[in-house]
Amino acid sequence: MNYSARLLALRLTVLCLVSFHLSLVSQTKAKKFALKSPNERISLHVEVDKIVSFYVAMEGKPAIEKANVGMLLKEKQSPGINLTLSKHKLNAVNSAITPVIPLKNAMLWDSYNQLTLDFRGNIRLVFRVYDDGMAYRFETWKQDSIFVNDELLTLNFPQETKAWFSRERSMYSHFEQKFDYSRLDTIATGSFSATPLLLKTPDDIKVWISETGQHDYPALFLEASGDNTLKGIFPKYVLDTEPNHKRWPDRNEIIIKEAEYIAKTNGQRSFPWRVFIIANDDRMLASSEMVYRLSPPQAIQNTSWIKPGRVAWDWYNANNIFGVDFKSGLNTRTYEYYIDFASDYGLEYVILDEGWTKSTSEILDFNPDIDVPFLIDYARRKNVGIILWVLWKPMVADLNRILDTYASWGAAGIKVDFMQRADQSMVTSYELIAAEAAKRNLLVDFHGSFKPNGLHRQYPNVLSYEGVRGNEHNKWSRDITPEHNVTLPFTRMLAGPMDYTPGALRNSEKGSFSISFERPVSQGTRCHQVAMYVVFESPLQMLCESPSAYRKEHETTKFIAQIPTTWDETIVLHASIGEYIVVARRNGSRWFVGAMTNWQERSFNIDLSFLQKGTYRVEQMKDGTNAHRMAEDYKYEIIILDSGKPLVINLAPGGGWAAIISNE
């Protein structure tokens, strides 16, 4: 039976039980339920038989044609296999969430309709339907620990569905792949992607897939089947590793033994939410905060010490300081220069990246050429905090002593790098690091990491994650194109904060890019990079270029330094995946607008109706007249405008535009 016939049959037999359209129909053995979103645009249809299956429609058109879900426990009775439904419950929720660190909005509504299915054997399955998507998770309340051998998730999509698929070669990964766009049925069988993953149906419905609440449980990957089906796969539980002596043994490991199961865990628990953001408008897709709403609640009481901000970063620019009377490099004088720069421009932090420790494995002592306690004290007197880069492997070997030492020096936080795994024990390690760092008032930036999984709500001191192919790839690849950059707000960024590290000042137009590890160049215009500070979300936002270059380009730097890293309100004005995005964000009384395009030149009319009536001062950075042939060409200007009139902006190929709007 095709989708339309199934939906019609369901409508003819459904008995409406509550105002938000939950229904139950009994047939021989199978039981069917239907649940709609609060605005009734998204409908979820669940069938319980020997397994649980569901399908999802948006405005009557299929988003997910059929999904089968379940869990395979080591014991005989497993969620999703030979289930016996004992009871069900339905409820509606409408509450407010106030994030400690607001990525998009200072307040967000948590409004959904929920179906709870209880099965014999102390197993529960919970579905939620929101206006911007749906989610489900399993729960168990068993007395003893349980082994999860595998989890069942198969997703069938309409024919000719397309996907932004980030192919992974291994589950041992930095999670920094490109999002390649192609028809789902052309992706080779066995190819798999980390989550998040984005799909587009023939009806132009976007389905974004990821997870949150990933406590003590491995990450979800999605494997192609050579047709329109995706299958959930998971890394096995890691039993033993050894250093990779052929390539950087201080950080790279070889997994030499895995268990047959994916998780051994507490029997009384909730499992991760499987999250599906669903939208037929790219603006609404980019606006979603569904992952945050579903993430675990705050686990720490005192958050007053947590301070988001901008960071002067050294590794991208290879400590290339110039115009000074000392030799730049890994030495105290160079980092004094970074601190002075941060202080002069009101930046909150400086990172001491790789090279500050005595060696990469001897991380309780520092490079004899870098006086770290002196630098931390020097920075403190200039209202700048110091964040210390550290390898994950030696840090977790002596976690408490290392964090105690860094805290005793007065460090503001840590940047943890080269985790490269997403199995159960690694996921647990992230949570342990976040909790122990919070006890010592230390911020955390996870680098070499999987995508955000809700931990940044649970532990707000976790300010950012990498897990993205960001600006640093300019040092060795040609992958960081404007098209890639305007794909990220619809893919990776929807999972949570994204440590992309913007701010490149050496910019190239299409066809002029060249690779340089020591003096990297970005693709796209100067204003494309500036706009990232409004478009890309990270409460710990890097300035990747050399402080000397930023001082030389004072006009650009002064503009960037005014842009905050948290937001009270966000409105996506224009959006098309992989093509362009225009975002307006408010912080306090000021509005910040950022626009980015791919290699296509574009013009936009910016509707300023989000402003109150009146006259405003607009400080803007826009592509210069010759930015199409000289990417570093830009124009800075201040204009006065009336909020009742649209603002017309023009973007060069690979271009950008940014504005600071105030009524001062």
Side-chain angles (χ1 to χ4, degrees), residues 312-329:
W313 182 41
D314 55 349
W315 190 82
Y316 179 87
N317 57 75
N319 296 93
N320 280 319
I321 306 301
F322 54 87
V324 295
D325 58 0
F326 59 88
K327 289 187 176 181
S328 64

Side-chain angles (χ1 to χ4, degrees), residues 332-348:
T332 299
R333 290 290 301 278
T334 296
Y335 284 109
E336 283 184 86
Y337 186 91
Y338 275 88
I339 292 165
D340 290 342
F341 161 71
S343 178
D344 290 346
Y345 283 91
L347 309 182
E348 290 82 1

